[in-house]
Every structure is written in C-alpha cells, then in structure tokens.
Amino acid sequence: MTTLVARPVSERRTATQRHALVATAHTRLMMLMFLFGAAVLVVIGRLGVLAIQSSLSDPGARAAAIAARGDIVDRNGAPLARTIDAWTIAVHPKKMIGDPTEIAARLAALMPDRGNQAFFYGLLTKDVNFSYLQRRASPALVEQVNAIGEPAIVFARETQRLYPQSTMAAHALGFLSTDGHGMSGMERVLDERLTNPALNGAPVALSIDTRVQAAMESELARAVASFQAKSAAGIVLDVDTGEVIAMTSMPVFNPNRVGMAGTEQLRNMGTQSVYELGSVFKPIAMAAAIDSGAVTSMARRFDATVPLRVGGYTIHDDPGDEEKRWLNIPETLIYSSNIATARIADQIGAAGMQNMFRKLGFDTKPDIELREKGRPIWPTFWARTTLMTSAYGHGIAVTPLHLANAYATLVNGGIWRPTTLLKIDPAHIPAGRRVISTTTSARMRQLLRLVVQYGTGRKGEAPGYRVGGKTGTAEIAQAGGYNKHTNVSTFAAAFPMDAPRYVVVVTLDSAKGNKESYGFTTAAWTAAPVVSRVISRTGSMLGVIPDANRDIDESDLLPLLWHAPGTPAFGAKPTSGAE
C-alpha cells in the first residue's frame, strides 16, 4: 500500500517568497564581505603605519636609501666609498631569555673592537625595544653570535655605506647620516650627484691618490705620536691644476663608525683651523716686494744688526736665526730674519701687502668644494706694525690649505687656481688668475731652493728631488698675547724646483720636543723631516724621477751668500751698506 503525505499549506513557499529569501541571503553575504574587506583594510593600514614609523625610527630601514648611491674612487680608480650588502646583528632587550651578564661576556670576546663586557651588558639591558650590536658584520661573526643561542639576538641583511680604506682620507670623504645623505666632506658635496637615478650609480673620481695619501698619513701619524702634537695637517697639491693629491687631518676618525668620533676628530685641520703660520709667509712678502718693484736687486741689503723698534713694539730675530748684520734678499730668507723682512714689508706698503694677500685668497675661506672651511683672521686695522708682522706670519691667520695654494702660485709661474678634490680632465684645467709675473715666480723657485740647501729648511731635503721650501714656527695666540711655551710649526715645500710639480705642506700644533729633535719644537726639527720622508716615498709614484745630477740654476745668486758651503765669499763679513 502506498501512503501519500501532503505538506501543510503553511510550509509551502510561493515563488515570491523564495525570491525574497535569496535576496536576503545575498544582502547578508554582501554585508559579511564588506565587513571582512574593511577588516583587511584596517590591518593593511595598520601595517603601513607601523612600517612608516619603523622607517622613521630605525636607522637600518632608513639606510635603504643608500642602495642606489654611487661609489667614490680615487684618481686611479681605487675604491674609497662603496655601497654594499652587509649583515647586521641586533637585539631586542625586552625579549631577552638568557643571562645578560654571560651573553655580554661572550659578545665582548667575539667583538672586542666594539666594546667590553660592560658595554654589551648595557646594550642587552637597555630599556628599548631594539638596539644594534654590530653593523657590517662578517658572515663568520654572524655564525658565531648565532651559536650563542639567544632568541632575542636577531640578524638581517641591509644595504650600507662602506669605507674600505677605513680612516684613510676620512676628512676629505666625510660620512653619511642614518637616512643615507652626506653629512660632511665630499659625501655631502656630491650627495645629489651620487643619488641621481639618471646617473645609475656612476662612480665619482676624486683627485686623491691613495698611495700618496697613505704615505702622508703614515708619516704624519708618526710625527704626531713622536712629538705628542695636539693636532696636525698634511697636504699634497698639484701646482698646475689645483688638485689635492693628499689631505690629512689628525686626530682622525673612522667614517664606518662615526658615532664613536669626538668633535675634534671630525674637524678638518687643513681647511677649518686657522693659524698664524709664522715665517712661511716670508717668501710671500718677498714675492710681493720683487713683483711690485719695491726690491729690484737681490743684492740690496737691509739692516738686521739690532732689533727694530716701531712705536711700542720691538721686532727681533730668533736667537738661532740672528746674524746681526745687513742681509741681502737671499740671506734674509736663508736666515729667516724677521727684522730684514719687516723692513722689506715697509718698502712694499700696507696697500701692496694687502693686495698680495687678497689675490692669494687670504681674506676669504679656502676655495675648495668642502663645506668644512674656516674663515681667515684678517686684521681690522693695518697699522705699520701690522704690515711688518704680517710679512713674517703674525697678526693674520689662514688655513694650511690657503698656504699650500699660495706656494703653488709662487712656483707654478704665478697663476692662482682654486683647489679641488675632484679629478680634473687635463683638457679642462681652470685658467686661474695671475698673481705674480713668470719672472718673479722663477726667482722664488731659486730662493726657496736656497733655503733648503743652506737655510732652515735643510732637513726638508729629499735627495734627488730638488726640494725648495720654507719653515715657519709661530707661538700660539691666546688672550692677552702669545703662549711662549707652545707653537705651530709648519714646513711648506715644492718639488722639483727646476720644474715644480707638487707642493707639500705639513703643520703640527703644539708639538713637544724630544730626543729626536734635541728638545727643539721648531719646524726645522718637527715638520720639515715629515715633508722630506713624504717626498722620498711618493715622488716616483707621482712621476718625478729622482736625479742627483739635476738642479735649478742658482749661479746668479750664489755669489751673494756670505758663507754658504762651496760658494764664493765676500771676504770680510759685511756690516752695513744697503744696495
């Protein structure tokens, strides 16, 4: 038997009702999808905010801006600053599980150059969410730290700026901020160029030669340590182009770890610090006298028999330099006479001396790309005493780079050119401006060579390289006068004097005498030997072949020297008679 069961009328659905139920279901589904999408958007938005906050607070994230930054190389293509992929080791102090004391000891053993156990303990217990332990870490170090087994220590790869030569040319190169922009040196100067996408990370060549730079840094560091100098600067300059071949400042810093450097370490002594440089100014005064016609004969003598009194001021020669006789032009430089130089300056006049200094740029900051530049101290009033003392480097203060540029002008034929840290195309050497005549420049080469052969610059000689130059030792100015116990010693030189190619300047601040210098702190004993060693080490690298059989012709000046070895003598020691 078949049984039929009929559904109650109340449970049946009409077509209209079914459509209504489907519409309701669709509406509910759409609302659910909308809520789910909104939730997803909230999560994505929150992640975006966290990412932005992280990039603003985390130096590692900001350093990603370095990724496309071009390299900096020396004039021969050797890398000075590069962009690399590196490992970083960091810690989340608030998530530490292990014993901080034990882990700090192990980290200190693995990274002794970074800090001691107390240093790492401070990082591991610091009240922050994140802290770097080491950046630019090697894969081997990452493996060793990972073996400690502390989950709070994390590892990551990030793009970083690396200075492969460490401290070499640090002040010329500069360093980057945590957001990947240049903060000093050529990194700052070239910031836009190095990050320009259109240049596709093309490297920029500096004028620096790493071989010469290394030699200068090595010899200058040796002198600073030996004489316990407060600071020092060393410069090698191409006399014909204005290119800086080497620029060294001490104390030095490591741009890879700039956070550990102090203010004095970051200071570029060659371009920022201004000094009264003493007798290295005398050749400049002499060039002004010859070029202006104030002195027309090298045989003309000036009275240096007794100190020169001008108003309430007395000018005297240093005990080691005084000749107490009338001196001609070559002898004035050879014996470094303040008295004779002051009398020559008096012949030039204040206007003439100021004109020379201004043409050499001594009234403005040094002309170089760097932003780290010091403003010279220029006399506010040029009294007669100011004129005289400025001729031997007192009362006016400039940077060592000013001086290097001035000496390049004296020996290169008389043309002043701006200095540069960028490699120059030989076809685009700046025209410069004429300061002295070619004839005066030729005379200055003779005179500077005589100073090294027979005068205070003898320890600056480098056999075969025909060095010419001048020493300068100046007491350091302080409130109320000068400190009689500390000085700035400088030797400014050029080589080879028969066809000058390079100028070398070394300045030591507050050097102390030692056994090597027989207790003396003057430039002849402290700065001049540094220049000699630098030239001996780098001359052939720079294309100057030493030749003991060549030299500049000084035959017209040698008879004027009273007792130079191997030269004719006047017979009786001259006592008077200006010529």
Side-chain angles (χ1 to χ4, degrees), residues 69 173-176 181-192 194 371-372:
R69 192 177 186 89
L173 286 171
F175 59 92
L176 301 187
H181 290 290
M183 290 294 289
S184 73
M186 294 304 286
E187 287 277 33
R188 181 179 180 183
V189 174
L190 299 170
D191 199 46
E192 184 175 344
L194 292 171
R371 308 287 180 86
E372 299 78 42

Side-chain angles (χ1 to χ4, degrees), residues 345-365:
D346 208 23
Q347 298 291 310
I348 300 169
M353 189 64 73
Q354 289 183 64
N355 183 49
M356 171 60 80
F357 289 157
R358 290 186 190 279
K359 286 194 292 185
L360 292 172
F362 285 5
D363 59 335
T364 61
K365 293 181 179 181

Side-chain angles (χ1 to χ4, degrees), residues 135-431:
R135 304 181 74 174
R136 302 183 185 87
S138 67
L141 179 60
V142 169
E143 184 178 349
Q144 291 172 318
V145 175
N146 188 42
I148 294 175
E150 171 55 56
I153 297 178
V154 295
F155 311 91
R157 298 294 294 270
E158 71 174 13
T159 303
Q160 294 183 9
R161 195 65 162 173
L162 173 69
Y163 301 91
Q165 311 293 345
S166 186
T167 60
M168 181 184 287
H171 294 89
L173 286 171
F175 59 92
L176 301 187
S177 64
T178 53
D179 61 358
H181 290 290
M183 290 294 289
S184 73
M186 294 304 286
E187 287 277 33
R188 181 179 180 183
V189 174
L190 299 170
D191 199 46
E192 184 175 344
R193 179 172 170 181
L194 292 171
T195 56
N196 188 343
L199 298 177
N200 197 28
V204 175
L206 298 189
S207 58
I208 296 290
D209 186 320
T210 52
R211 303 168 303 170
V212 181
Q213 182 74 28
M216 174 61 83
E217 292 188 6
S218 170
E219 295 298 343
L220 198 61
R222 170 184 168 183
V224 167
S226 177
F227 298 113
Q228 302 177 53
K230 175 184 175 183
S231 59
I235 296 167
V236 179
L237 189 68
D238 187 309
V239 304
D240 292 320
T241 66
E243 292 171 289
V244 176
I245 307 301
M247 175 181 284
T248 302
S249 176
M250 293 189 177
V252 75
F253 71 96
N254 187 342
N256 292 309
R257 296 178 179 175
V258 70
M260 302 175 69
T263 303
E264 281 303 301
Q265 288 174 285
L266 295 177
R267 186 175 184 81
N268 189 334
M269 302 299 173
T271 64
Q272 285 183 277
S273 295
V274 297
Y275 305 96
E276 293 186 21
L277 292 171
S279 295
V280 287
F281 267 47
K282 289 173 182 174
I284 299 172
M286 206 65 71
I290 296 170
D291 208 63
S292 67
V295 170
T296 57
S297 171
M298 295 296 99
R300 181 176 177 181
R301 298 196 187 105
F302 294 85
D303 185 5
T305 56
V306 294
L308 174 62
R309 299 184 185 278
V310 182
Y313 193 82
T314 302
I315 296 173
H316 57 82
D317 286 340
D318 292 332
D321 298 331
E322 57 186 357
E323 282 287 296
K324 296 183 177 179
R325 61 186 177 87
W326 288 67
L327 301 174
N328 58 37
I329 301 302
E331 291 175 329
T332 296
L333 286 181
I334 287 173
Y335 301 115
S336 197
S337 172
N338 295 336
I339 300 170
T341 302
R343 293 188 184 279
I344 292 170
D346 208 23
Q347 298 291 310
I348 300 169
M353 189 64 73
Q354 289 183 64
N355 183 49
M356 171 60 80
F357 289 157
R358 290 186 190 279
K359 286 194 292 185
L360 292 172
F362 285 5
D363 59 335
T364 61
K365 293 181 179 181
D367 200 323
I368 196 169
E369 297 90 351
L370 298 178
R371 308 287 180 86
E372 299 78 42
K373 297 186 284 192
R375 183 172 295 282
I377 297 176
W378 184 265
T380 55
F381 176 68
W382 283 78
R384 189 182 178 203
T385 52
T386 307
L387 162 65
M388 291 181 170
T389 59
S390 70
Y392 56 87
H394 285 77
I396 181 172
V398 298
T399 68
L401 184 60
H402 277 107
L403 184 69
N405 204 357
Y407 270 65
T409 304
L410 292 183
V411 302
N412 71 3
I415 303 297
W416 179 95
R417 291 183 179 87
T419 49
T420 180
L421 274 165
L422 292 173
K423 184 178 180 180
I424 292 180
D425 183 337
H428 298 93
I429 297 173

Side-chain angles (χ1 to χ4, degrees), residues 227-232 275-278 318 394 472-478 482-490 507-513 517 519-527:
F227 298 113
Q228 302 177 53
K230 175 184 175 183
S231 59
Y275 305 96
E276 293 186 21
L277 292 171
D318 292 332
H394 285 77
T473 306
E475 294 172 349
I476 294 178
Q478 61 181 22
Y482 291 87
N483 188 330
K484 304 264 183 205
H485 305 291
T486 59
N487 57 46
V488 173
S489 56
T490 302
T507 297
L508 297 173
D509 185 351
S510 305
K512 298 178 181 178
S517 69
F520 294 111
T521 60
T522 55
W525 290 94
T526 58

Side-chain angles (χ1 to χ4, degrees), residues 507-560:
T507 297
L508 297 173
D509 185 351
S510 305
K512 298 178 181 178
N514 60 16
K515 184 178 180 181
E516 181 184 344
S517 69
Y518 298 95
F520 294 111
T521 60
T522 55
W525 290 94
T526 58
V530 179
V531 173
S532 172
R533 292 192 294 267
V534 169
I535 294 175
S536 295
R537 289 179 59 175
T538 65
S540 57
M541 296 178 190
L542 293 169
V544 181
I545 306 303
D547 188 342
N549 298 315
R550 292 181 56 185
D551 214 324
I552 188 171
D553 182 8
E554 305 158 323
S555 56
D556 61 329
L557 295 182
L558 290 177
L560 300 179

